[in-house]
Amino acid sequence: MADATFKDVPELFETDLGEALTARTESLSSFRELGPPDLCHVVKSTGKAGQKDLGSYHYVSGVDASSSASLAAYINSLTYSIDDNSGWFSKSTAWKVRSGCYCCFNAFSRVDVRVDVKIPGGVVAYVIDLRGERHDTTPELWQETYLSAMLRAILYGDDSTYWLEAYRRLDPVTSYEDELHFLEAAEALFLQGWQVGSDPEIQVASVVSNHLTAGVMKYFGDSFRFQQAANLFEKVSVREPEVASLLARSYIGMNEEVKAAQIMANAIRDNPQSYTLLHAQCDFLRSKGKHEWALKLARQAVNCAPSEFVTWEKLTEVYTELGQFESALLTLNSCPMFTYNGRDAHRTITPAKINLPYKVAIADILPERRKTEDDEADPALQRLPAPGLKGTWARAYALLAKLVSKIGWDELLKTRSAVFVMEEEYRMQKAHSDVRAVVQQANGESTGGKVIHEDGTVRDSMFSKTSTAVGGGDEADDDASIKGVISKEPGDLGHSATESDVNLIPTIKISTEADLAKEETEEKDEKDEKEKVENGDVNGEAKGKDKETVPPETAGLEKPVPSASGDTSDSQDEAKSPAQDGFSFSNKRLCERWLDNLFMILYEDLRIWTIFRAEVAHLKMQHVAYRKTGLEWEILGDLGLRLHHKEEAKEAYQRCLESQRYSIKPWLKLMEMYADEGDLQRTLQTAIRVAAYQHNEYAEAAYPTAIAHYLFKLGHVHGHQKISYTLLSMGLPDPVLKVMERYLRYGSLFKVEGHDF
């Protein structure tokens, strides 16, 4: 089997011939969006009677899938990659590629297009549907298949979180003709783009928010060539006016802000309910420092699409920038959260053998790929829950982390307790209600009284029943996390306002201590002496409970106390109990359980970060070196970025490089930081390592990649010639230098800004 391997292509050998194709056919119905990378399966044979054929396969993206001929050409190219160790002095039999099958998923029609190649022989193309039935191909199917493959190559090819064994990534576009072909296919299928799905933060894919538009914006945006994207959107906007938001963003990327503003103004008159247009205007105003104006647009966007996470997220960001932190926290609490669906993947099969060719010239500048002490870390660091957040949960955590970076942990807890009903308050309310009920029963009074509903409104129970019976009452909405309560007067606690009432985002009146004292004084005047004594005892007990706080694990960092989450049965039961006079929740909301959990996750991050910084400061005062393993420094670097401590995170990543650990992440993060700072020398030094890691993992694409994006970003200032001369001055090995020159060659071919100086 040693002679049956490819020289430069990774592959997984099958235990049973054809099992990879069978597993893919069975998994077709589970592919939800763009589908997984293409599968290339080959059968190798010696041609000798009695010799068993071998089946192997690998995953690939970036291959031209516009016709059966182009896919057959890729399989034919593999025949030149096979190791041929036989010769006149060798007795071993040479292995040859006898046949191959290329599988490419069509995300528009939800079918798998396959091309069977016999060597020598013919080429057969056919379609396998979700039921495993076979059909003929059509030109329309080939166009959809080509665009699906292009989008996977653009969106998946440079995603460091998407890891797959034996995954080969090639350049999807290598010439102007290829780019024109991509634009033509995108224009033809643009209105069907919603069929391929969208990012996990988008609940409902639309013509504007889907993987097709994301792929187009990423491909042209990473190289700052928005002119081609604008031309495409100009043509499509004639049929679909909502595309004006993408067109305006393209013109802003081209520094044509006046034209972009005109496009947005005209489009919003024709389509005032488009939240994507409102967001485009909102982002433009934020970039100009007009946050008050942007706030009105963000509010209107929420009214237009209240079920979308991104609209509430944008409103939270604007509130945070304006310093309205209570409103930001309330808006964050109202965000609709979606179940995270990861990217489509193949069913895992245990291979008989794995062939991962070693690229000597590239891998020589990398550390050995073996497990060492630097791959170990403290369990407390490895158990941090924040890195496991995905989709809307990760975005919501980022908003919360941004809040704490602006106002600090203590102030965030104060804001939280001011706008949300806390668990201690519920317990105190319950204790008051129980004593009140006992006193009323002892005096023979009716226990009907008032009822406090889940949304915080207080009503007479008899009035509620009467109004319900006659059909004239407005019952309290149970969804207290979304609906706010707006009181007309201090004494009017029975009016619940919704977005439809005021056509605005619900606002919450936060009671001050003076308001609460006034309410208590008014209510106490109406009570008799016995009730005063009873309620006074209960208040004393409740205040005693408030003092029982959880001891902080870290000095100066208070652990958050639980809030009364809106989806707990105990809290709901307590909320329905009779209300104590002078104490009301009508000006607070119930905190969602998921947001309560995010507070605990954020606390864990801050606790570990505080301990880490305290240890660093202590040892620095004693002039003692602070030692951590490579993995620990990497985790601490990620933690610093999550908490918006960029300089400390950079220092942690730099310390990680001192270890001999095989990891691309610290190099990639440092490359991004140095590029943002405009440091050409250090950006190139880190980019060389990132390119070596990627090529060692068979990521051979030059664009779209993070390296190309940041090199082109520096090219705006320094020019590509200076970048090229700087690379030459580093004395790199020829294979590494050729890899780096490929990025600049792409910039020269497609005339990226800075290519001519």
Side-chain angles (χ1 to χ4, degrees):
M1 186 184 292
D3 298 333
T5 57
F6 290 126
K7 290 182 294 186
D8 52 1
V9 178
E11 56 184 334
L12 308 173
F13 283 89
E14 295 177 312
T15 303
D16 299 323
L17 193 63
E19 63 181 359
L21 296 176
T22 303
R24 183 179 174 93
T25 303
E26 295 173 352
S27 302
L28 287 178
S29 59
S30 66
F31 298 159
R32 294 179 300 273
E33 296 184 347
L34 278 179
D38 302 346
L39 173 69
C40 182
H41 178 272
V42 296
V43 177
K44 302 173 185 176
S45 174
T46 60
K48 183 179 179 181
Q51 180 73 45
K52 183 180 178 181
D53 293 345
L54 295 176
S56 70
Y57 60 96
H58 65 275
Y59 306 107
V60 62
S61 63
V63 178
D64 182 7
S66 59
S67 66
S68 58
S70 59
L71 297 182
Y74 175 77
I75 294 178
N76 186 63
S77 68
L78 297 178
T79 61
Y80 303 102
S81 298
I82 197 168
D83 269 332
D84 188 5
N85 295 328
S86 61
W88 63 271
F89 55 85
S90 174
K91 297 181 180 180
S92 61
T93 305
W95 290 85
K96 300 294 183 183
V97 176
R98 181 171 61 85
S99 63
C101 179
Y102 195 99
C103 309
C104 187
F105 186 71
N106 182 334
F108 291 89
S109 298
R110 321 304 298 171
V111 295
D112 205 31
V113 177
R114 299 186 180 181
V115 175
D116 284 343
V117 179
K118 305 292 183 183
I119 303 175
V123 177
V124 178
Y126 56 94
V127 173
I128 299 293
D129 62 18
L130 301 183
R131 296 183 299 273
E133 299 176 359
R134 185 164 171 165
H135 306 276
D136 294 332
T137 59
T138 62
E140 292 78 14
L141 284 177
W142 276 115
Q143 186 179 51
E144 294 174 354
T145 305
Y146 163 76
L147 189 56
S148 300
M150 283 291 298
L151 293 178
R152 283 192 294 270
I154 293 171
L155 296 175
Y156 293 3
D158 194 41
D159 187 356
S160 57
T161 62
Y162 188 77
W163 183 86
L164 199 61
E165 191 81 76
Y167 181 21
R168 190 183 187 196
R169 285 159 283 186
L170 305 175
D171 276 314
V173 176
T174 57
S175 64
Y176 257 123
E177 291 73 18
D178 293 344
E179 187 171 281
L180 289 175
H181 189 190
F182 171 53
L183 288 170
E184 291 172 359
E187 181 183 356
L189 299 172
F190 193 90
L191 298 183
Q192 303 173 33
W194 59 271
Q195 297 177 4
V196 301
S198 62
D199 292 335
E201 295 81 18
I202 304 294
Q203 186 178 29
V204 180
S206 64
V207 177
V208 178
S209 303
N210 55 64
H211 285 312
L212 174 55
T213 56
V216 171
M217 292 300 287
K218 176 178 171 58
Y219 180 81
F220 293 106
D222 280 3
S223 58
F224 308 99
R225 295 188 304 123
F226 287 100
Q227 180 65 53
Q228 287 77 359
N231 292 339
L232 170 64
F233 297 140
E234 284 275 11
K235 299 175 184 177
V236 179
S237 62
V238 177
R239 294 176 289 169
E240 183 55 56
E242 196 172 352
V243 179
S245 61
L246 297 173
L247 180 59
R249 292 183 186 277
S250 299
Y251 276 117
I252 291 174
M254 296 163 56
N255 294 322
E256 296 282 351
E257 294 182 346
V258 174
K259 192 167 186 179
Q262 293 172 347
I263 291 172
M264 289 187 290
N266 294 331
I268 205 69
R269 293 193 193 100
D270 300 332
N271 194 4
Q273 297 301 313
S274 171
Y275 79 88
T276 54
L277 272 171
L278 292 168
H279 278 186
Q281 287 186 324
C282 180
D283 290 338
F284 179 69
L285 290 173
R286 288 167 63 193
S287 68
K288 300 301 178 183
K290 302 292 184 180
H291 297 290
E292 291 288 349
W293 296 358
L295 177 61
K296 298 179 181 179
L297 293 171
R299 282 176 171 171
Q300 184 62 27
V302 171
N303 290 331
C304 296
S307 61
E308 287 291 347
F309 173 83
V310 291
T311 56
W312 294 92
E313 179 189 37
K314 188 74 69 178
L315 182 58
T316 305
E317 291 175 349
V318 177
Y319 273 133
T320 303
E321 291 168 354
L322 282 170
Q324 300 179 21
F325 304 117
E326 291 182 354
S327 299
L329 201 55
L330 288 168
T331 307
L332 178 60
N333 187 58
S334 301
C335 288
M337 309 302 286
F338 315 136
T339 302
Y340 176 73
N341 294 318
R343 290 180 172 171
D344 297 326
H346 294 87
R347 196 178 78 188
T348 304
I349 303 175
T350 303
K353 178 190 173 183
I354 301 177
N355 174 41
L356 301 176
Y358 187 75
K359 300 183 178 182
V360 179
I362 300 294
D364 280 349
I365 66 174
L366 301 176
E368 293 185 24
R369 194 171 185 175
R370 58 186 178 85
K371 190 173 180 62
T372 63
E373 293 180 354
D374 283 307
D375 292 304
E376 300 175 357
D378 187 280
L381 291 175
Q382 292 181 315
R383 285 197 301 262
L384 285 175
L389 297 174
K390 304 290 183 184
T392 53
W393 317 99
R395 298 271 284 266
Y397 176 87
L399 294 173
L400 200 58
K402 188 174 182 181
L403 264 175
V404 79
S405 70
K406 284 184 171 292
I407 63 177
W409 177 246
D410 292 339
E411 191 64 30
L412 180 62
L413 289 185
K414 291 179 183 177
T415 307
R416 173 175 175 253
S417 61
V419 298
F420 295 135
V421 179
M422 308 307 292
E423 188 173 331
E424 279 298 318
E425 293 174 328
Y426 262 120
R427 291 176 181 174
M428 183 171 62
Q429 180 77 15
K430 182 66 173 176
H432 283 304
S433 302
D434 292 343
V435 173
R436 174 84 181 275
V438 170
V439 172
Q440 288 178 339
Q441 289 178 0
N443 295 338
E445 298 178 5
S446 171
T447 57
K450 296 178 180 293
V451 175
I452 180 167
H453 292 267
E454 293 177 18
D455 63 350
T457 57
V458 181
R459 300 165 184 249
D460 292 331
S461 59
M462 296 302 293
F463 172 78
S464 298
K465 293 177 182 178
T466 304
S467 60
T468 304
V470 299
D474 52 339
E475 296 185 3
D477 196 335
D478 289 340
D479 197 354
S481 66
I482 297 178
K483 305 292 185 181
V485 178
I486 305 179
S487 297
K488 295 179 180 178
E489 298 177 4
D492 181 13
L493 302 176
H495 176 70
S496 177
T498 62
E499 291 173 345
S500 59
D501 294 332
V502 294
N503 198 28
L504 287 173
I505 301 304
T507 57
I508 301 301
K509 177 179 177 296
I510 309 301
S511 291
T512 62
E513 294 181 1
D515 295 334
L516 291 176
K518 183 179 179 181
E519 291 178 7
E520 290 177 0
T521 303
E522 292 175 354
E523 295 294 339
K524 284 179 181 179
D525 291 341
E526 300 175 2
K527 296 180 182 180
D528 56 31
E529 190 66 27
K530 186 175 180 180
E531 287 183 346
K532 285 184 179 181
V533 174
E534 294 290 344
N535 289 334
D537 293 340
V538 176
N539 282 331
E541 293 173 7
K543 290 177 182 178
K545 290 180 181 178
D546 288 340
K547 295 179 182 179
E548 296 175 4
T549 56
V550 179
E553 296 183 44
T554 307
L557 191 64
E558 180 186 352
K559 187 172 183 178
V561 296
S563 68
S565 299
D567 57 352
T568 58
S569 58
D570 293 341
S571 297
Q572 291 174 357
D573 292 340
E574 293 178 7
K576 295 176 183 177
S577 61
Q580 175 217 4
D581 292 337
F583 191 84
S584 172
F585 296 142
S586 61
N587 47 23
K588 287 190 177 185
R589 292 188 188 178
L590 295 177
C591 182
E592 294 287 351
R593 173 56 58 89
W594 62 263
L595 183 56
D596 224 18
N597 291 338
L598 286 186
F599 269 100
M600 297 305 299
I601 292 174
L602 180 60
Y603 169 74
E604 284 299 315
D605 276 357
L606 288 169
R607 186 177 68 85
I608 296 297
W609 183 257
T610 304
I611 293 173
F612 161 63
R613 296 308 302 172
E615 289 177 350
V616 170
H618 177 69
L619 294 178
K620 188 176 292 185
M621 290 177 60
Q622 296 182 348
H623 304 286
V624 178
Y626 189 63
R627 301 191 181 278
K628 291 281 185 183
T629 66
L631 179 57
E632 287 174 339
W633 281 119
E634 185 177 307
I635 295 174
L636 290 170
D638 295 342
L639 178 58
L641 283 185
R642 286 200 303 272
L643 299 177
H644 299 275
H645 297 289
K646 187 175 180 181
E647 291 301 320
E648 292 85 349
K650 185 201 295 186
E651 181 183 352
Y653 285 130
Q654 290 170 341
R655 294 291 298 272
C656 181
L657 302 184
E658 298 173 3
S659 66
Q660 291 299 310
R661 181 170 180 268
Y662 189 92
S663 177
I664 188 178
K665 180 183 284 189
W667 294 102
L668 184 60
K669 295 296 184 181
L670 286 172
M671 178 185 71
E672 296 173 1
M673 293 178 183
Y674 291 144
D676 291 338
E677 296 169 359
D679 192 332
L680 176 61
Q681 189 76 23
R682 290 184 176 180
T683 301
L684 289 178
Q685 291 173 350
T686 51
I688 291 168
R689 291 298 194 285
V690 174
Y693 273 107
Q694 290 183 343
H695 275 258
N696 201 41
E697 297 289 340
Y698 313 102
E700 304 168 24
Y703 187 84
T705 60
I707 299 175
H709 171 67
Y710 289 111
L711 288 184
F712 296 157
K713 184 176 182 178
L714 290 175
H716 289 175
V717 179
H718 301 283
H720 289 196
Q721 290 185 7
K722 182 176 180 179
I723 295 175
S724 179
Y725 292 146
T726 305
L727 286 171
L728 286 173
S729 67
M730 291 181 175
L732 301 173
D734 286 344
V736 178
L737 182 61
K738 289 180 180 178
V739 168
M740 296 302 297
E741 287 177 343
R742 293 178 63 219
Y743 304 105
L744 299 177
R745 193 157 52 245
Y746 178 92
S748 176
L749 176 63
F750 291 95
K751 295 181 172 55
V752 177
E753 185 178 353
H755 73 96
D756 52 352
F757 69 87

Coordinates of all heavy atoms in Angstrom, one line a residue, residues 74 79 158 201 223 271 290 325 355 386 415 426 501 509 525 540 551 585 598 620 653 677 706 741 746:
Y74 N -9.9 17.3 -12.9 CA -9.3 17.3 -11.6 C -8.9 15.8 -11.2 O -7.8 15.6 -10.7 CB -10.2 17.9 -10.5 CG -9.7 17.7 -9.1 CD1 -8.7 18.6 -8.7 CD2 -10.1 16.7 -8.3 CE1 -8.2 18.5 -7.4 CE2 -9.6 16.6 -7.0 CZ -8.7 17.5 -6.5 OH -8.1 17.3 -5.3
T79 N -3.7 11.5 -11.3 CA -2.9 10.4 -11.8 C -1.4 10.7 -11.9 O -0.6 9.8 -11.8 CB -3.4 10.0 -13.2 OG1 -3.3 11.1 -14.1 CG2 -4.9 9.5 -13.2
D158 N -11.2 29.6 4.3 CA -10.2 30.3 5.3 C -10.8 30.3 6.7 O -10.3 31.1 7.5 CB -9.9 31.7 4.8 CG -8.7 32.3 5.4 OD1 -7.7 31.6 5.7 OD2 -8.8 33.5 5.8
E201 N -26.9 33.8 12.9 CA -27.5 34.9 13.6 C -28.8 35.4 12.9 O -29.5 36.2 13.4 CB -26.5 36.0 13.8 CG -25.3 35.7 14.7 CD -24.3 34.9 14.0 OE1 -24.3 34.9 12.7 OE2 -23.4 34.3 14.6
S223 N -10.5 42.2 -0.5 CA -9.5 42.9 -1.4 C -9.8 44.3 -1.7 O -9.1 45.0 -2.5 CB -9.4 42.1 -2.7 OG -10.6 42.1 -3.4
N271 N -39.1 51.8 0.3 CA -39.2 50.6 1.2 C -38.9 50.9 2.6 O -37.8 50.6 3.1 CB -38.3 49.5 0.6 CG -38.6 48.1 1.2 OD1 -39.5 48.0 2.0 ND2 -37.8 47.2 0.9
K290 N -22.9 60.4 14.7 CA -24.3 60.8 15.0 C -25.1 59.7 15.6 O -26.0 59.1 15.0 CB -24.9 61.2 13.6 CG -24.2 62.4 12.9 CD -24.3 63.7 13.7 CE -23.7 64.8 12.9 NZ -23.8 66.1 13.6
F325 N -26.7 52.6 29.5 CA -26.4 51.2 29.8 C -27.6 50.5 30.3 O -27.7 49.3 30.1 CB -25.3 51.2 30.8 CG -24.0 51.9 30.3 CD1 -23.5 53.0 31.0 CD2 -23.4 51.5 29.2 CE1 -22.4 53.6 30.6 CE2 -22.2 52.2 28.7 CZ -21.8 53.2 29.4
N355 N -3.0 9.1 4.9 CA -1.8 9.6 4.2 C -1.8 11.1 4.2 O -2.6 11.8 3.5 CB -1.8 9.1 2.7 CG -0.6 9.6 2.0 OD1 0.5 9.8 2.5 ND2 -0.8 10.0 0.7
A386 N -17.0 30.2 28.1 CA -17.2 31.2 27.0 C -16.7 30.7 25.6 O -17.4 31.0 24.6 CB -16.5 32.5 27.4
T415 N -26.5 48.1 37.7 CA -27.4 48.3 36.6 C -28.4 47.1 36.4 O -29.6 47.3 36.2 CB -26.7 48.6 35.3 OG1 -25.7 49.6 35.4 CG2 -27.6 48.9 34.1
Y426 N -37.9 38.7 45.2 CA -39.0 37.7 45.1 C -39.2 37.1 46.5 O -40.4 36.9 46.9 CB -38.7 36.7 44.0 CG -39.4 37.0 42.7 CD1 -38.6 37.1 41.6 CD2 -40.8 37.1 42.6 CE1 -39.2 37.4 40.4 CE2 -41.4 37.4 41.4 CZ -40.6 37.5 40.3 OH -41.2 37.8 39.1
D501 N -48.6 50.0 20.6 CA -49.3 51.2 21.3 C -48.6 52.5 21.0 O -49.2 53.5 20.7 CB -49.4 51.0 22.8 CG -50.3 49.8 23.1 OD1 -51.2 49.5 22.4 OD2 -50.1 49.2 24.2
K509 N -39.5 52.4 33.2 CA -39.3 53.5 34.3 C -38.6 52.8 35.4 O -39.1 51.9 36.0 CB -40.6 54.0 34.7 CG -40.5 55.1 35.8 CD -41.9 55.6 36.2 CE -41.8 56.6 37.4 NZ -41.3 55.9 38.6
D525 N -49.9 54.8 55.6 CA -50.9 55.6 56.2 C -52.3 54.9 56.2 O -53.1 55.3 57.0 CB -51.0 57.0 55.5 CG -49.7 57.8 55.7 OD1 -49.0 57.5 56.7 OD2 -49.5 58.7 54.9
G540 N -37.6 43.4 58.5 CA -36.3 43.2 59.2 C -35.7 41.9 58.8 O -34.5 41.8 58.6
P551 N -19.7 34.7 49.4 CA -18.4 35.2 49.5 C -17.7 35.3 48.1 O -17.7 34.3 47.4 CB -17.7 34.2 50.4 CG -18.7 33.4 51.0 CD -19.9 33.5 50.1
F585 N -43.3 45.5 41.5 CA -42.3 45.2 40.4 C -42.7 45.8 39.1 O -42.3 45.4 38.0 CB -42.2 43.7 40.2 CG -41.6 43.0 41.4 CD1 -42.1 41.7 41.8 CD2 -40.6 43.5 42.2 CE1 -41.6 41.1 42.9 CE2 -40.1 42.9 43.3 CZ -40.6 41.7 43.7
L598 N -25.3 34.0 31.1 CA -24.2 34.7 30.5 C -23.5 35.6 31.5 O -22.3 35.8 31.4 CB -24.7 35.6 29.3 CG -25.1 34.9 28.0 CD1 -25.4 36.0 27.0 CD2 -23.9 34.1 27.5
K620 N 5.9 40.5 39.1 CA 6.7 41.6 38.5 C 7.4 42.4 39.6 O 8.5 42.9 39.4 CB 5.8 42.4 37.6 CG 6.6 43.4 36.8 CD 5.7 44.2 35.8 CE 5.2 43.2 34.7 NZ 4.4 44.0 33.7
Y653 N -0.2 36.3 23.7 CA 0.1 35.6 22.5 C 1.6 35.6 22.2 O 2.2 34.6 21.7 CB -0.6 36.3 21.3 CG -2.1 36.0 21.3 CD1 -3.1 37.0 21.2 CD2 -2.6 34.6 21.4 CE1 -4.4 36.7 21.2 CE2 -3.9 34.4 21.4 CZ -4.8 35.4 21.3 OH -6.2 35.1 21.2
E677 N -2.3 47.9 13.4 CA -1.4 48.9 13.9 C -0.5 49.5 12.8 O 0.1 50.5 13.0 CB -0.5 48.4 15.0 CG -1.2 48.0 16.3 CD -0.4 47.2 17.2 OE1 0.8 47.0 16.9 OE2 -0.8 46.8 18.3
A706 N -7.1 35.4 5.1 CA -6.8 36.5 6.0 C -5.5 37.1 5.7 O -5.3 38.3 5.8 CB -6.8 35.9 7.5
E741 N 4.7 35.2 -2.4 CA 4.6 36.0 -3.6 C 3.3 35.7 -4.3 O 2.8 36.6 -5.1 CB 5.7 35.7 -4.6 CG 7.1 36.3 -4.1 CD 8.2 36.0 -5.0 OE1 8.0 35.0 -5.8 OE2 9.2 36.7 -5.0
Y746 N -1.7 37.8 -6.9 CA -3.1 38.0 -7.1 C -3.5 39.4 -7.1 O -4.3 39.9 -7.9 CB -3.9 37.3 -5.9 CG -5.4 37.5 -5.9 CD1 -6.2 36.5 -6.6 CD2 -6.0 38.6 -5.3 CE1 -7.6 36.7 -6.6 CE2 -7.3 38.8 -5.4 CZ -8.1 37.8 -6.0 OH -9.5 38.0 -6.1

